[in-house]
Structures are given as C-alpha cells and as structure tokens.
Amino acid sequence: MRIHHLNCGSLRKIPPLGEEPTAGVVNRELAAVCHCLLIETDSDGLVLVDTGLGTADLQHPDRSLGE
C-alpha cells in the first residue's frame, strides 16, 4: 500500500465585499488547505479520501478557518 498526500487547493482570505484589494499587494495569509489522500491498494485499486473539516473546525470556525 502507498499513500500520497495531495494539496487539492489553498483558500485565502479576501477583502470584504465592497473593499478593493491594495494595488500590487497579494494577500498571502492562508485560511485553509484542501488536503486529500490517495491510497494505492492491492485489492481495491485507488482510493481517494477527502479529509474534510473536523468537528472542532465547525465548533470554533474563527480559530481554524479565519474570520
């Protein structure tokens, strides 16, 4: 069995609606990473696991997902 860690996307904070981003400045502050596992098995072939959000993320979204 082999396990591959895949970064399927990165979410970044954006300015609130109606606010323009500062010209020439890229907001590099990460809010979350979409992480998946691809598992190669002998019996079932490829298995893709979306790790999703945990229950702690949903209980305290301001701590893990940003404002």
Side-chain angles (χ1 to χ4, degrees):
M1 179 184 339
R2 293 181 65 194
I3 300 174
H4 305 274
H5 297 266
L6 306 175
N7 179 356
C8 298
S10 298
L11 306 175
R12 300 187 187 283
K13 293 182 180 180
I14 59 171
L17 287 175
E19 283 188 28
E20 292 292 325
T22 305
V25 175
V26 177
N27 186 350
R28 298 188 184 278
E29 185 177 355
L30 279 178
V33 174
C34 302
H35 188 90
C36 295
L37 302 175
L38 180 64
I39 304 170
E40 294 182 52
T41 68
D42 294 331
S43 58
D44 296 317
L46 298 176
V47 178
L48 183 63
V49 179
D50 179 354
T51 56
L53 296 174
T55 56
D57 295 318
L58 300 176
Q59 290 174 351
H60 305 287
D62 55 322
R63 291 186 206 163
S64 57
L65 302 175
E67 297 176 9

